[in-house]
Amino acid sequence: EIVLTQSPGTLYVSPGESATLSCRASQSVNNNLAWYQQKPGQAPRLLIYAATTRASGVPARFSGSASGPDFTLTITGLQSEDFAVYYCQHYHNWMASFGQGTKMQIK
Amino acid sequence: QITLKESGPTLVKPAETLTLTCSFSGFSLDSGVGVGWIRQPPGQALEWLAVIYWDDDWRQSPSLMGRVTITKDITKNQVVLTLTNMDPADTATYYCARRRGSFDAWGQGTLVIVSS
């Protein structure tokens, strides 16, 4: 079973700044990695798939990158609506699992 | 427009079997497409449960130890999840979602409480 470890657990950032969220896979997922945003009381929303591709309608301030087992979600110019919980998820070999999430809060 | 909606009981007793239905529209279970189930206990992280694909192949999370069954009825555009031997730890919001690689469309979720 592939385990995804997200860091940090909580990230305090000021509006207008940039944020970097990390996700490490316990074994290769061949870039079959997605990022989701979840706000309170809402279903998750797909942001990034295939590690680096923005989903339809996702602003350009969201970007994903990959280096081996390490994946990064970067959000530049944080806006008030970006403060939420972010999850990474792999979809390798017809299976799936989620990371434990990073909660982004206003500093 | 793609929509998914979960339905089922809000309250189940310990040891009972939970049956949830995902009714979807706006897409077909064509080649490469699946429908999966994900749950989220109150205040906790997302947990993937199972997924069924267009060809009836399906996968479940190893953590559920065989408690899960997932089936589909393409004539009704529905996917059904059953989870046996329910426990209070299974209290969660249960989501269904379309899988095309990642989960690109989600239902609103349905809260299931396990209590006697």
Side-chain angles (χ1 to χ4, degrees), chain A residues 66-88:
Chain A
S67 177
D70 294 314
F71 300 86
T72 301
L73 174 69
T74 301
I75 313 169
T76 58
L78 277 161
Q79 301 188 6
S80 57
E81 61 264 31
D82 300 334
F83 290 91
V85 180
Y86 292 84
Y87 294 95
C88 60

Side-chain angles (χ1 to χ4, degrees), chain B residues 49-115:
Chain B
L49 302 179
V51 61
I52 190 164
Y53 295 101
W54 76 100
D55 58 357
D56 283 331
D57 189 16
W58 65 281
R59 299 283 192 273
Q60 65 177 294
S61 169
S63 66
L64 292 175
M65 294 182 294
R67 296 172 54 207
V68 165
T69 302
I70 187 170
T71 60
K72 64 179 176 62
D73 185 337
I74 60 171
T75 65
K76 296 181 180 179
N77 277 356
Q78 292 180 336
V79 170
V80 176
L81 176 83
T82 60
L83 185 59
T84 60
N85 194 24
M86 292 291 283
D87 182 89
D90 296 312
T91 293
T93 296
Y94 286 74
Y95 297 98
C96 64
R98 182 178 75 167
R99 174 170 166 156
R100 290 194 309 166
S102 56
F103 292 111
D104 65 350
W106 293 64
Q108 64 190 21
T110 186
L111 176 63
V112 177
I113 299 169
V114 184
S115 175

Side-chain angles (χ1 to χ4, degrees), chain A residues 21 36-40 82-87 100-104:
Chain A
L21 290 69
Y36 301 84
Q37 176 193 68
Q38 188 180 33
K39 298 180 180 179
D82 300 334
F83 290 91
V85 180
Y86 292 84
Y87 294 95
Q100 78 275 27
T102 291
K103 185 174 186 178
M104 200 154 62

Side-chain angles (χ1 to χ4, degrees), chain A residues 2-53:
Chain A
I2 296 173
V3 175
L4 299 177
T5 303
Q6 291 188 242
S7 60
T10 304
L11 186 59
Y12 294 92
V13 192
S14 299
E17 293 185 343
S18 295
T20 300
L21 290 69
S22 297
C23 175
R24 171 167 286 185
S26 62
Q27 54 188 278
S28 173
V29 298
N30 279 358
N31 281 3
N32 293 319
L33 193 286
W35 290 93
Y36 301 84
Q37 176 193 68
Q38 188 180 33
K39 298 180 180 179
Q42 296 183 16
R45 169 198 179 196
L46 176 66
L47 296 176
I48 302 285
Y49 63 94
T52 61
T53 304

Side-chain angles (χ1 to χ4, degrees), chain B residues 18-62:
Chain B
L18 171 68
T19 299
L20 293 175
T21 299
C22 175
S23 300
F24 59 88
S25 64
F27 69 95
S28 300
L29 269 173
D30 294 332
S31 179
V33 179
V35 171
W37 287 91
I38 303 99
R39 71 180 178 183
Q40 185 172 39
Q44 298 186 39
L46 300 167
E47 178 187 15
W48 172 70
L49 302 179
V51 61
I52 190 164
Y53 295 101
W54 76 100
D55 58 357
D56 283 331
D57 189 16
W58 65 281
R59 299 283 192 273
Q60 65 177 294
S61 169

